[in-house]
Amino acid sequence: MSAHSEEAPELIEDLLIGAAPTLLVAGADAAGQRLDQWLAAALGPDMSRSRVQMLIRQGAVVIDGKPVDETKRKMSAGENVSVAMPEPEPAQPQGENIALDVLYEDDELIVINKPAGLVVHPGAGNWTGTLVNALIHHCGDSLSGIGGVRRPGIVHRLDKETSGVMVVAKTDRAHKALSEAFADHGLTGDLERAYLALVWGIPQRPTGTIDAPLGRAADRVRRAVVPEGRDDARHAVTRFAVQERFGEDQREFATASLVECRLETGRTHQIRVHMAHIGHPVIGDPDYGLAFRTKANRLPEPLKSQVKAFSRQALHAWLLAFRHPTTHLTMRFEAPIPGDMEELVGGFRKLGTSHQKT
């Protein structure tokens, strides 16, 4: 691989930040290489490939005067590549006055009902406006140094568009105890987590266990069920129970179910990947439910429009129970389904509802 630059060939990210866009010219041996691979090598060892991919997706890379956002795009010799680095973000999150729905709080911990759309902790593309920023403002110095600079007090997380109950530690003692509880998923202690998911279709069995290892998908961003022996395979188990079936007694429209999911492991996107794996993806899931997007066309109005307008996965963490690190009492918190998801469930109920018999 060869690249020519107006700067020294061993460019690193620190030299690029805040500077004018850097120009690279693809050499003959760049032909056929993926853009992200070529650019990561051209920018030097201090620029990771994941960082390069993020820059490409953010529109910071221009080839021959045209912005590109496809990381796998094939390079051609002689192409002029311009890279614009964003301004550096503060290394330590700052407090922001963001409203929190606090379910409980004491000197050791705080329990909140996280709304959909709120990122838990700062990261690429989300350095502000996160739950951590809100917690720093709300709790002050009590979170300082607990669990790392960018994740103070965080012992578990919910996806950005997943709503529901979360607990955050305010002391080192609480962080250690809660982290250990979440690490073994309650197998040796009092920890209970339950989610409600509105999914496409009706599972054949009213209850079931999905035991399928998860790893990185081909795009290296999403997760997927992978062979057990693969290097990145991680044990993952989800138990589900159908709560309501919608449209079961008719054939004209698409069916759906309200399913409770309980985790025996806590992998990234676990419920979303596992439910998609058994053919019942979460409605509205932009990552794992795209193949079912046209299902909405098989619904009556206004439900058809409701589903198409629902821009997130219909997944809610409704229950969290754990042992308090100081009092050792079991604490149980519930959060009702948020309004947008409740309206969607209500729309499906009009198709006809049958409940799980107990």
Side-chain angles (χ1 to χ4, degrees):
M1 192 275 320
S2 64
H4 306 285
S5 170
E6 294 175 353
E7 303 290 341
E10 59 276 6
L11 286 169
I12 60 175
E13 186 170 358
D14 288 343
L15 296 177
L16 296 172
I17 290 175
T22 299
L23 178 64
L24 302 169
V25 180
D29 55 354
Q33 290 192 44
R34 284 176 43 149
L35 172 59
D36 57 349
Q37 294 173 329
W38 177 84
L39 196 54
L43 292 175
D46 291 330
M47 178 67 79
S48 69
R49 185 170 162 190
S50 60
R51 172 67 166 149
V52 167
Q53 290 174 336
M54 184 186 69
L55 290 173
I56 293 171
R57 295 190 184 101
Q58 290 177 339
V61 178
V62 175
I63 298 180
D64 290 338
K66 296 181 180 179
V68 295
D69 58 9
E70 176 53 55
T71 60
K72 298 179 181 179
R73 178 194 182 278
K74 299 299 183 181
M75 296 294 298
S76 298
E79 287 183 317
N80 296 297
V81 183
S82 175
V83 184
M85 298 296 295
E87 291 294 325
E89 301 289 347
Q92 185 167 339
Q94 304 299 307
E96 296 178 45
N97 189 10
I98 300 170
L100 290 174
D101 182 2
V102 179
L103 304 180
Y104 175 84
E105 183 175 10
D106 61 24
D107 291 340
E108 297 283 336
L109 54 85
I110 180 172
V111 180
I112 62 105
N113 179 17
K114 187 188 87 68
L118 182 64
V119 176
V120 170
H121 55 78
N126 292 288
W127 297 109
T128 61
T130 72
L131 175 61
V132 163
N133 297 111
L135 289 167
I136 291 173
H137 176 85
H138 179 88
C139 300
D141 294 337
S142 63
L143 292 179
S144 178
I146 303 172
V149 173
R150 288 184 178 170
R151 295 171 55 97
I154 302 298
V155 295
H156 70 121
R157 72 179 184 87
L158 298 175
D159 293 336
K160 175 183 177 182
E161 298 299 347
T162 298
S163 54
V165 188
M166 285 187 64
V167 59
V168 177
K170 295 171 65 176
T171 67
D172 288 322
R173 173 173 53 189
H175 191 272
K176 182 177 184 296
L178 291 170
S179 294
E180 290 174 351
F182 278 92
D184 73 1
H185 310 287
L187 296 179
T188 59
D190 298 323
L191 179 70
E192 186 179 6
R193 287 183 293 170
Y195 297 71
L196 287 173
L198 182 63
V199 304
W200 285 114
I202 300 173
Q204 292 183 348
R205 296 174 298 164
T207 62
T209 299
I210 308 168
D211 187 343
L214 300 183
R216 289 191 179 276
D219 61 11
R220 308 292 295 173
V221 176
R222 294 178 298 171
R223 297 299 187 271
V225 170
V226 300
E228 189 171 349
R230 212 171 82 172
D231 289 345
D232 65 333
R234 297 293 181 268
H235 179 58
V237 178
T238 302
R239 291 182 289 117
F240 70 87
V242 178
Q243 304 297 301
E244 295 182 58
R245 305 175 183 86
F246 307 119
E248 183 177 33
D249 298 326
Q250 53 81 41
R251 296 181 179 274
E252 182 180 359
F253 303 117
T255 59
S257 304
L258 186 65
V259 179
E260 183 186 79
C261 295
R262 293 181 178 247
L263 302 178
E264 290 188 13
T265 58
R267 308 303 179 192
T268 300
H269 300 174
Q270 179 174 316
I271 291 174
R272 298 163 61 190
V273 178
H274 270 172
M275 293 309 297
H277 178 65
I278 65 170
H280 301 287
V282 179
I283 291 176
D285 193 325
D287 297 313
Y288 306 103
L290 286 179
F292 282 66
R293 178 182 290 177
T294 57
K295 284 275 190 179
N297 295 327
R298 295 182 50 214
L299 295 172
E301 291 290 4
L303 180 57
K304 174 181 176 180
S305 296
Q306 279 183 277
V307 172
K308 289 189 173 183
F310 199 80
S311 59
R312 68 177 183 92
Q313 63 264 11
L315 182 62
H316 175 68
W318 79 273
L319 168 67
L320 177 63
F322 57 89
R323 181 179 296 175
H324 193 282
T326 301
T327 66
H328 305 296
L329 296 174
T330 298
M331 309 186 73
R332 182 184 176 95
F333 300 94
E334 299 179 8
I337 294 179
D340 62 341
M341 186 171 162
E342 181 60 41
E343 288 181 11
L344 196 60
V345 171
F348 274 98
R349 285 189 177 122
K350 295 177 182 178
L351 292 179
T353 304
S354 54
H355 292 263
Q356 172 62 28
K357 296 180 180 180
T358 58

